[in-house]
Amino acid sequence: MIPKKKPIAAPAPRRRDADVAYDAIESLISTMALTPGSPIVEGELAERIGLGRTPVREALMRLMSVGLIVQQPRRGLLVSPIDLANHLDVIATRRALERVIAACSARRASMAEREQFVVCADRMLAAAKRDDLNRYMQADHELDLVNHAACRNTSAVTAVVPLVIQCRRFWYAYQHAGEIKEGARCHALLARGIATGSEADAIQGADALLDYLEAFTRRVINN
């Protein structure tokens, strides 16, 4: 009997240079490698991330649309400032969207995705225990990706992603006021609530996470 050949997996489609540029520049901004108020020089940025000016220009236009870059008369493009007071509005808006996304994920996630939620939560908890901020933020990003895929709600994800980026940048800017062990605990509540398939538990986890982010923001403002 001739054994059947395993099907060869199709290679992943090559990402557009503009998308690669967007991710690279967004990471530089959200991790404070490009600080608020700093000028954006297209040529220098293209050289820094190793891509041409055309994809970088397209990425900058997208970053302007989500508020991470602003254009000012006679000063050109700048990394947008962090508005402390406005960040509470960011949190409030994100809360409403995260509740919708959590409920959808609890209802629609596949078994493999539910398992991945638990894996991401465990990684965050482990990173927080070691006080490893980089791995903590990496696990946080992975959890977002799983959640956004599992919810199968494109409208909510499109609306929430710019707010998540703003929150990530806020965290890097004021991480001295954060408590990553508590942050990891709240993320784990969200992840495990979704993994159980209970919409109520998932929403409760989303609220716990946004309560934590709001308290963190208020500590920064009050200090």
Side-chain angles (χ1 to χ4, degrees):
M1 184 176 178
I2 301 175
K4 292 182 179 180
K5 292 183 179 180
K6 292 183 179 179
I8 299 174
R14 183 180 180 274
R15 298 184 68 210
R16 295 172 61 247
D17 284 349
D19 294 331
V20 175
Y22 176 89
D23 287 347
I25 301 169
E26 182 268 302
S27 180
L28 290 173
I29 294 173
S30 63
T31 60
M32 303 295 288
L34 290 174
T35 57
S38 61
I40 296 293
V41 181
E42 189 179 286
E44 293 178 2
L45 198 53
E47 184 176 351
R48 183 170 183 174
I49 66 175
L51 290 168
R53 290 197 178 200
T54 298
V56 166
R57 190 174 299 119
E58 183 177 332
L60 292 175
M61 294 296 292
R62 288 174 59 191
L63 289 162
M64 287 178 66
S65 71
V66 299
L68 287 180
I69 290 177
V70 294
Q71 186 167 23
Q72 294 189 354
R74 295 183 297 279
R75 296 188 66 190
L77 298 181
L78 305 173
V79 177
S80 65
I82 295 175
D83 187 334
L84 288 180
N86 182 63
H87 198 70
L88 288 173
D89 289 339
V90 170
I91 297 293
T93 307
R94 183 179 171 185
R95 182 188 295 274
L97 291 166
E98 292 286 5
R99 286 169 61 92
V100 172
I101 291 170
C104 288
S105 289
R107 187 168 66 251
R108 299 171 177 172
S110 67
M111 185 58 66
E113 287 168 335
R114 295 183 196 282
E115 292 172 357
Q116 194 60 34
F117 275 108
V118 176
V119 169
C120 290
D122 289 345
R123 285 176 181 167
M124 286 197 78
L125 291 166
K129 187 176 181 179
R130 296 192 301 270
D131 203 28
D132 187 334
L133 180 62
N134 287 334
R135 289 191 179 275
Y136 172 87
M137 295 303 290
Q138 181 181 356
D140 179 20
H141 182 57
E142 290 170 355
L143 178 58
D144 285 339
L145 293 178
V146 175
N147 196 13
H148 295 167
C151 77
R152 291 158 178 78
N153 186 328
T154 304
S155 297
V157 171
T158 299
V160 84
V161 165
L163 307 180
V164 172
I165 294 171
Q166 293 283 8
C167 288
R168 187 179 302 129
R169 181 168 70 144
F170 191 89
W171 172 271
Y172 271 100
Y174 299 104
Q175 58 186 271
H176 59 276
E179 299 172 0
I180 64 173
K181 289 184 177 64
E182 178 62 12
R185 186 188 72 83
C186 293
H187 279 88
L189 285 175
L190 169 64
R192 289 172 178 163
I194 292 171
T196 65
S198 166
E199 291 186 42
D201 288 348
I203 292 171
Q204 186 175 4
D207 278 337
L209 173 58
L210 272 296
D211 287 345
Y212 163 74
L213 292 177
E214 182 177 340
F216 167 62
T217 301
R218 292 190 183 279
R219 278 200 305 276
V220 171
I221 292 173
N222 292 334
N223 288 335

